Amino acid sequence: MKKFKRITLLCGHYGSGKTNVAVNMARLLRKQTDNVAVADLDIVNPYFRTKDSSGEFADNGIRLIVSDYANSNVDIPALPQDMYAITDDKSLSVIIDVGGDDRGALALGRLALKIIEENDYEMLMVINCYRPLTRDAQSTIEVMREIEYVGHISFTGIVNNSNLGAVTTTDDVLDSVEYANEVSKLSGLPIVYTSVEEHLYNDLCDKIDNLLPLSLQARPV
């Protein structure tokens, strides 16, 4: 299992699937260290999907840093009260789910300087060629540059999370590899992971490097 940096930032366009990637990465990180948190910094979308997993996080000793208004009908662009624990508590290993596109990255700008100074982070762009506004490499690069500009941190790697939800097939994942490679080439960034739902993992693990199996995020009932 790849060793995580103290801070892992996940950014991407709306619908890229970064929240589900964040939840699964937190599960993996918890196997490496005890003091783990997931931070949801999305101040644009009031429906914070990381909070859907709050029960699971509590059961597994994972701290959730999220706005008090998450999963409520109150549409207020409020940041979590304990947001600065991300940079101030060096014993804490954090997966950060940054909001979608450049508007969602606004909150990241408040933490950027301290994150860069510590220099123990990865900033990963979650890409999905099956989303309307990131269907090709050039469009995806444009979104990446917008996020970097607003968030004040440069990307260090890519997560290819190209999928069609529950109907995704192995061919869909394989067809996305050329797109991901082109994004990597244009950006100069490595593909750190290609993420796939668990039931596809065995069919793809000998075809794609650095494959990350995902279980779908549990939704509250």
Side-chain angles (χ1 to χ4, degrees), residues 146-168:
E146 290 167 356
I147 293 172
E148 288 179 327
Y149 178 76
V150 173
H152 304 299
I153 301 183
S154 297
F155 283 102
T156 62
I158 296 164
V159 177
N160 179 17
N161 189 50
S162 296
N163 70 87
L164 292 165
V167 299
T168 307

Side-chain angles (χ1 to χ4, degrees), residues 103-204:
R103 290 179 298 162
L106 284 169
L108 180 57
R110 299 195 185 186
L111 302 175
L113 183 59
K114 286 188 175 182
I115 291 174
I116 292 169
E117 285 178 348
E118 183 185 358
N119 195 28
D120 191 7
Y121 72 93
E122 278 191 306
M123 178 145 150
L124 305 178
M125 178 72 179
V126 180
I127 63 175
N128 186 344
C129 66
Y130 298 114
R131 301 304 298 166
L133 297 181
T134 53
R135 290 190 183 280
D136 59 79
Q138 189 58 54
S139 299
T140 304
I141 293 295
E142 290 173 8
V143 173
M144 290 177 67
R145 299 309 178 217
E146 290 167 356
I147 293 172
E148 288 179 327
Y149 178 76
V150 173
H152 304 299
I153 301 183
S154 297
F155 283 102
T156 62
I158 296 164
V159 177
N160 179 17
N161 189 50
S162 296
N163 70 87
L164 292 165
V167 299
T168 307
T169 66
T170 56
D171 285 341
D172 293 326
V173 179
L174 290 170
D175 288 346
S176 75
V177 169
E178 182 178 355
Y179 154 80
N181 286 339
E182 183 67 12
V183 174
S184 175
K185 179 180 177 181
L186 291 175
S187 66
L189 299 174
I191 301 170
V192 178
Y193 297 111
T194 297
S195 49
V196 297
E197 198 173 339
E198 285 177 324
H199 75 276
L200 300 176
Y201 179 82
N202 288 338
D203 292 333
L204 291 167

